[in-house]
Amino acid sequence: MSTKKMPPFLLDEKKWSAPYFLAPVAGYSDVAFRAICAEMGAALCYTEMVSAEALVRNHAKTKELLARDSAETHYAIQLFGANPATLAKAAEIVSAFQPAVIDLNCGCPVPKIIKAGAGSALLKTPERIGEIVRAMRNATSVPISVKIRTGWDEKSINYLETAGMAIEAGACAITLHGRTRAQGYSGKADWDAIKALAAQTSVPIFGSGDVFSADDAIAMQEYTGCDGVMIARGAIGHPFIFQELCQRAAGQRIDEALSPKVVAQTALHHLELAVKYLGEQTACVEFRKHFCAYTKGFVGGAALRAQAVRCSTFAEFQRLLELFAESAA
């Protein structure tokens, strides 16, 4: 385990005893899902990545991504972009939302993001990452962190250099996803890279990649010595991962597998929050993918998922979740 003394941003001691975070997952990490994960014990939840350019232009839809639920005592905002001045202005704007930390995305492998010179494209120019972090640090008192990958491809593994540039410029923490941009989300995450970075840096390092269960999260922390674990796909449909991690950190024994009834209750609460923030029509369309994730692996789930893709009202989803809960009997 890592023994770094100074936390990169202010969280209470209880949260740092179980340093497991919800990653900024595009299309999933909206305010409703973040609230669910926060209630389950996630130490910190990150927004979906937010366009710095759109923020500076006062794009209304973009600002909606910054909505925050009362369950989020602390939350983090992730920005993406390529221009230091624009990102500095965006950091100044989001500071008003009082995030615990502002994160710079240098890892997104999506082509349209890369074409704009943002996300993983920045891995090609570590010095530009330093320029951006420095500009953001000068624009706000909120701590700045950076999320990176191991490199652009296997021939350009440069995470040590990239992290070094960011830290020198004032980054308070680095999250390393153990894959190259070329890998996307395929192949196996390189936990050895996370281990190497954690051993060589002066700031906290958070690991990301191939964490699909509480066992995975604990194994990553123990193997790499990282200071925290960023959980992405492993939390989708299973926010209970944070609850289990908190219980295990407290020395509590986990005896029973989750029942359909418990999952259905959580999913319904999730939908209620989504309706609150998005309106019923949009919330129900967006919830279809969450419903599929919540019911994955359960007996009878496939038949319910076939119906879910046609649900368009809260009442329809509520009835479907009741059927799912009854499958526990």
Side-chain angles (χ1 to χ4, degrees), residues 10-12 15 38 42-45 68 71-76 98-100:
L10 185 63
L11 294 177
D12 60 56
K15 287 184 179 294
L44 194 66
C45 299
R68 180 177 183 174
E72 297 183 277
T73 307
H74 305 281
Y75 88 143
Q98 299 183 313

Side-chain angles (χ1 to χ4, degrees), residues 114-185:
I114 291 171
K115 286 179 182 178
S120 289
L122 291 168
L123 299 175
K124 294 182 175 182
T125 53
E127 64 279 2
R128 172 54 67 92
I129 294 175
E131 291 172 12
I132 293 172
V133 171
R134 193 169 288 108
M136 293 172 72
R137 288 290 299 114
N138 289 337
T140 179
S141 60
V142 178
I144 305 297
S145 62
V146 180
K147 187 175 184 184
I148 63 175
R149 284 176 173 249
T150 55
W152 178 257
D153 56 31
E154 63 179 10
K155 296 180 181 178
S156 56
I157 303 296
N158 65 345
Y159 63 93
L160 292 176
E161 179 187 3
T162 302
M165 288 282 189
I167 293 166
E168 184 178 353
C172 72
I174 304 291
T175 298
L176 177 59
H177 183 112
R179 289 182 172 87
T180 64
R181 181 269 164 185
Q183 282 181 280
Y185 298 99

Side-chain angles (χ1 to χ4, degrees), residues 245-291:
L245 284 164
C246 288
Q247 290 172 334
R248 290 174 65 165
Q252 298 175 16
R253 183 175 176 178
I254 312 299
D255 292 320
E256 298 181 4
L258 288 167
S259 69
K261 182 177 180 179
V262 170
V263 175
Q265 289 172 339
T266 300
L268 185 62
H269 178 39
H270 182 165
L271 180 56
E272 288 170 341
L273 287 168
V275 170
K276 173 183 175 181
Y277 289 105
L278 301 175
E280 184 174 18
Q281 183 176 9
T282 300
C284 288
V285 171
E286 290 293 316
F287 191 71
R288 291 169 185 168
K289 61 192 175 190
H290 287 287
F291 182 92

